[in-house]
Amino acid sequence: MELLPGDRENLAIQTRGGPEKHEVTGWVLISPLSKEDAGEYECHASNAKGEATASAKIHVVETLHEIALKK
């Protein structure tokens, strides 16, 4: 079963106007972050002008040594 954002106590979705006139910026805050929050998150937006979708993956690590460095 997939939870909705309002079903999770550690997740908040925020929106505000801008940065330009007639635009809205939105973001997700996950706090505190835990291993159970790891995964892919998607954002879907639509209005009279069209639709847009974006996704991001969260990988939770225990220590900084688990982060792969890119050269």
Side-chain angles (χ1 to χ4, degrees):
M1 178 178 80
E2 187 172 343
L3 296 175
L4 296 174
D7 296 335
R8 298 180 49 190
E9 292 182 8
N10 69 330
L11 191 139
I13 297 175
Q14 301 288 318
T15 59
R16 71 174 191 96
E20 300 294 327
K21 188 176 182 179
H22 306 297
E23 288 184 351
V24 175
T25 299
W27 63 94
V28 174
L29 172 67
I30 304 173
S31 180
L33 187 66
S34 69
K35 288 256 185 202
E36 290 78 29
D37 298 309
E40 187 167 357
Y41 291 77
E42 294 183 352
C43 176
H44 302 271
S46 65
N47 64 18
K49 297 293 185 180
E51 298 180 6
T53 301
S55 64
K57 291 181 182 177
I58 295 178
H59 178 77
V60 181
V61 298
E62 296 290 331
T63 68
L64 293 176
H65 298 293
E66 294 180 55
I67 300 172
L69 298 177
K70 294 182 181 180
K71 293 184 178 185

